Amino acid sequence: MPNTRVTHFKPSAAHVAIIMDGNGRWATRRGLPRLAGHKRGVERVREVVEACPELGVTHLTLYAFSTENWKRAEDEVAGLMRLFRWYIRKEAAKLVEAGVRLRFIGNRSRLDEGLQKLMASVEDMTRENTRLNMTVAIDYGGRDEIIRATERMIDAADAGELKRSCLDEDTISRFMDTGGLPDPDLVLRTSGEVRISNFLLWQAAYAEYNFLDICWPDFTAETLSHCLENYNSRERRFGAVMG
Ligand code: FPP
């Protein structure tokens, strides 16, 4: 019989995934346009990326634009796309220097060609880096990703590369946009909203969650450090009985 009793399991969170919410509210409360909140949000991204390696975080996944975000006002969507382009152009060289590998998940085909090229080029430039694995979700939805993975599996099966008897959790994970990346240990969401909004539906099955009352533009490296301390005080049992 398999031994289902596991001992106390308290690793530090190596993979942190963040739903960066509340940029719009942060700006509106200050009488600023919503885009000012997103700009401040990018500054927080830089701060958090810098802090991760010192805090023992090896993987950081950020939810930057959901499949639902296309429904926003045209000027806000255009502003966000401009910010993504600006971030990649401005940060690419620094990411290389800092040892950060940047990857994107999501449906790229609906993004403009210029942005798609920039994304591919920064992925290429940072391919050899190992200090921090950063993944940015753009035009991403968990259900949409499951459809993409299923299509890839059907294609592989048609090509004779995937057999029904090989279908298990690891195989499905490999076909997701995040194939090859570990599952998140800790998922954070800012802004006080308590929902997962279609983020990493498959991957976060056993993740710990932490919902924070502050908006993303107020999230600092210190906030991340507190969240990790809180995570370290929790017990993760993965459905098993405590030893
Ligand atoms: C949610 O806040 C945030 C977004 C839809 C955009 C997140 C993007 C960034 C932080 C900047 C870009 C990131 C990278 C990696 C370059 P909201 O607008 O839904 O806030 P609200 O709920 O208060 O309206």
Side-chain angles (χ1 to χ4, degrees), residues 20-26 34 38 41-42 45 62-64 69 72 76 80 83-84 87 134 136 216:
M20 307 178 289
D21 196 15
N23 293 349
R25 271 165 282 172
W26 182 91
R34 293 175 56 83
H38 297 314
V42 178
V45 168
L62 301 172
Y63 204 0
N69 286 156
R72 295 194 173 197
E76 185 174 348
L80 278 165
L83 263 186
F84 299 145
Y87 176 82
M134 174 182 180
V136 175
W216 175 250

Side-chain angles (χ1 to χ4, degrees), residues 23-204:
N23 293 349
R25 271 165 282 172
W26 182 91
T28 308
R29 279 177 203 148
R30 286 161 179 78
L32 298 167
R34 293 175 56 83
L35 209 54
H38 297 314
K39 281 187 185 151
R40 180 61 71 98
V42 178
E43 285 170 31
R44 294 318 194 182
V45 168
R46 289 156 96 181
E47 179 175 339
V48 166
V49 168
E50 236 172 75
C52 277
E54 286 159 38
L55 294 170
V57 175
T58 57
H59 291 76
L60 175 71
T61 301
L62 301 172
Y63 204 0
F65 192 88
S66 74
T67 46
E68 289 72 33
N69 286 156
W70 291 111
K71 295 180 201 143
R72 295 194 173 197
E74 220 173 287
D75 63 337
E76 185 174 348
V77 171
L80 278 165
M81 296 299 153
R82 263 199 314 278
L83 263 186
F84 299 145
R85 279 194 290 271
W86 179 86
Y87 176 82
I88 298 172
R89 283 204 189 100
K90 185 130 176 33
E91 293 298 294
K94 285 185 208 153
L95 294 175
V96 174
E97 207 176 303
V100 179
R101 179 169 183 180
L102 176 56
R103 275 175 271 215
F104 297 92
I105 55 171
N107 172 10
R108 297 180 193 213
S109 66
R110 295 193 286 192
L111 303 173
D112 82 49
E113 252 180 59
L115 178 56
Q116 287 186 44
K117 279 189 188 146
L118 277 172
M119 287 159 69
S121 108
V122 72
E123 282 180 328
D124 209 43
M125 280 170 74
T126 61
R127 193 170 296 282
E128 303 301 325
N129 290 351
T130 55
R131 195 158 174 258
L132 175 68
N133 285 279
M134 174 182 180
T135 304
V136 175
I138 298 185
D139 195 9
Y140 175 86
R143 289 185 169 185
D144 201 42
E145 183 193 23
I146 290 170
I147 295 171
R148 266 194 302 284
T150 309
E151 287 167 349
R152 289 180 195 126
M153 285 188 279
I154 290 172
D155 288 346
D158 286 348
E161 291 156 6
L162 179 66
K163 290 205 168 58
R164 190 190 171 125
S165 57
C166 297
L167 213 49
D168 57 13
E169 292 188 8
D170 285 345
T171 307
I172 294 179
S173 292
R174 273 197 290 114
F175 281 91
M176 303 296 279
D177 292 357
T178 50
L181 295 169
D183 286 341
D185 299 299
L186 175 64
V187 180
L188 306 176
R189 181 180 189 139
T190 54
S191 93
E193 307 290 347
V194 184
R195 43 175 192 270
I196 59 173
S197 298
N198 209 5
F199 187 45
L200 302 178
L201 294 182
W202 170 265
Q203 299 87 341

